[in-house]
């Protein structure tokens, strides 16, 4: 199913590759257990500096966090409705989001000088990666102008006041770039507790027809390891070959 869905996505989704200009490999690391947010940020900042200095290889770091909220650089205080979990100010772009068990966070530390030093192109490439990964599970993820991340149309949910189709966000993107090395990254909802998003206005989007979904919410009972394998498979045609760290 994964391969068939992936190649279908390649036909439907206009690829936005950011392949490196050399043959060095991107390290791929999958963390076991829950990683505290502060530790993850400290590690990313140090690794990004080392990548910029040419002292370390690029890295994609897959992990889960304990339940928490993060506030991006555009976060509005009013969008923190109920601080049920610790709130962390983050240097990434975007507004409020939730991280917790059952959500695959992929922190992407890439040297865009080796590819294309273009922030918009990088975000589009991240969206293409997520859309391709979702397609492997027969989930039709789509990008939306003015709404960063990946969305799923929900004809089973009430429409908007003007008859607009309901849509749910299944993957969020929030990045930071320093010396053209990226850090922070993407968050893909596999099976988190979706009620935890109720403490915030996710990504600042409050319209009733916009919500949050996950693989499990859509009836896809995927294991985290299965999602990880597909994320790696679909990453390589866009960003380059990987090696397990």
């Amino acid at each position: 199913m994964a391969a068939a869905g992936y190649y279908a996505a390649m036909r439907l989704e206009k690829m936005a590759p950011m392949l490196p200009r050399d043959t060095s490999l991107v390290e791929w690391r999958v963390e076991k257990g829950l990683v505290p947010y502060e530790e993850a940020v400290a590690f990313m900042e140090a690794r990004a500096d080392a990548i910029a200095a040419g002292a370390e290889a690029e890295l994609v770091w897959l992990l889960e966090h304990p339940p928490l909220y993060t506030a991006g650089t555009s976060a509005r205080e009013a969008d923190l409705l109920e601080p049920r979990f610790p709130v962390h100010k983050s240097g990434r772009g975007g507004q409020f989001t939730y991280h917790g068990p059952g959500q695959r966070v992929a922190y992407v530390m890439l040297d865009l000088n080796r590819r294309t030093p273009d922030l918009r192109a990088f975000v589009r490439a991240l969206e293409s990666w997520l859309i391709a990964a979702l397609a492997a599970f027969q989930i039709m993820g789509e990008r939306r102008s003015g709404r960063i991340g990946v969305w799923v149309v929900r004809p089973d949910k009430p429409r908007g006041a003007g008859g607009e189709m309901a849509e749910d966000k299944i993957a969020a993107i929030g990045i930071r770039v320093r010396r053209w090395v990226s850090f922070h990254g993407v968050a893909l909802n596999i099976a988190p507790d979706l009620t935890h998003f109720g403490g915030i206005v996710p990504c600042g989007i409050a319209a009733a027809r916009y919500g949050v979904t996950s693989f499990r919410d859509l009836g896809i009972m995927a294991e985290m390891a299965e999602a990880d394998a597909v994320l790696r498979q679909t990453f390589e045609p866009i960003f380059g070959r990987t090696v397990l760290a």
Side-chain angles (χ1 to χ4, degrees), residues 83-95:
R84 306 174 191 175
F85 307 112
V87 179
H88 300 269
K89 290 187 177 180
S90 172
R92 63 162 174 80
Q95 301 187 47

Side-chain angles (χ1 to χ4, degrees), residues 25-173:
L25 303 180
V26 178
E27 292 187 358
W28 189 271
R29 180 182 303 171
V30 181
E31 201 72 40
K32 294 181 180 179
L34 303 180
V35 178
Y37 188 74
E38 301 95 328
E39 292 183 15
V41 172
F43 175 86
M44 281 191 290
E45 290 184 344
R47 184 64 177 246
D49 287 343
I51 292 169
E56 291 278 7
E58 297 173 304
L59 173 68
V60 176
W61 188 22
L62 274 61
L63 53 79
E64 293 173 85
H65 286 304
L68 58 91
Y69 298 127
T70 67
T73 54
S74 301
R76 299 183 294 259
E77 287 189 19
D79 289 343
L80 180 60
L81 305 178
E82 182 185 346
R84 306 174 191 175
F85 307 112
V87 179
H88 300 269
K89 290 187 177 180
S90 172
R92 63 162 174 80
Q95 301 187 47
F96 277 103
T97 194
Y98 165 78
H99 294 313
Q103 181 190 72
R104 176 50 86 210
V105 174
Y107 288 134
V108 182
M109 289 156 268
L110 298 180
D111 184 354
L112 301 187
N113 282 308
R114 297 178 55 227
R115 296 173 168 78
T116 303
D118 183 325
L119 195 55
R120 290 187 179 181
F122 181 51
V123 170
R124 186 172 178 85
L126 292 172
E127 290 173 340
S128 291
W129 173 32
L130 292 164
I131 288 168
L134 289 166
F137 295 93
Q138 310 303 315
I139 298 172
M140 180 67 76
E142 300 177 273
R143 56 168 57 90
R144 289 290 181 264
S145 176
R147 287 188 270 133
I148 292 174
V150 178
W151 296 78
V152 177
V153 174
R154 299 300 303 269
D156 55 315
K157 289 190 171 184
R159 291 176 176 254
E164 306 93 340
M165 191 76 75
E167 297 181 6
D168 286 344
K169 195 172 199 175
I170 194 168
I173 298 174

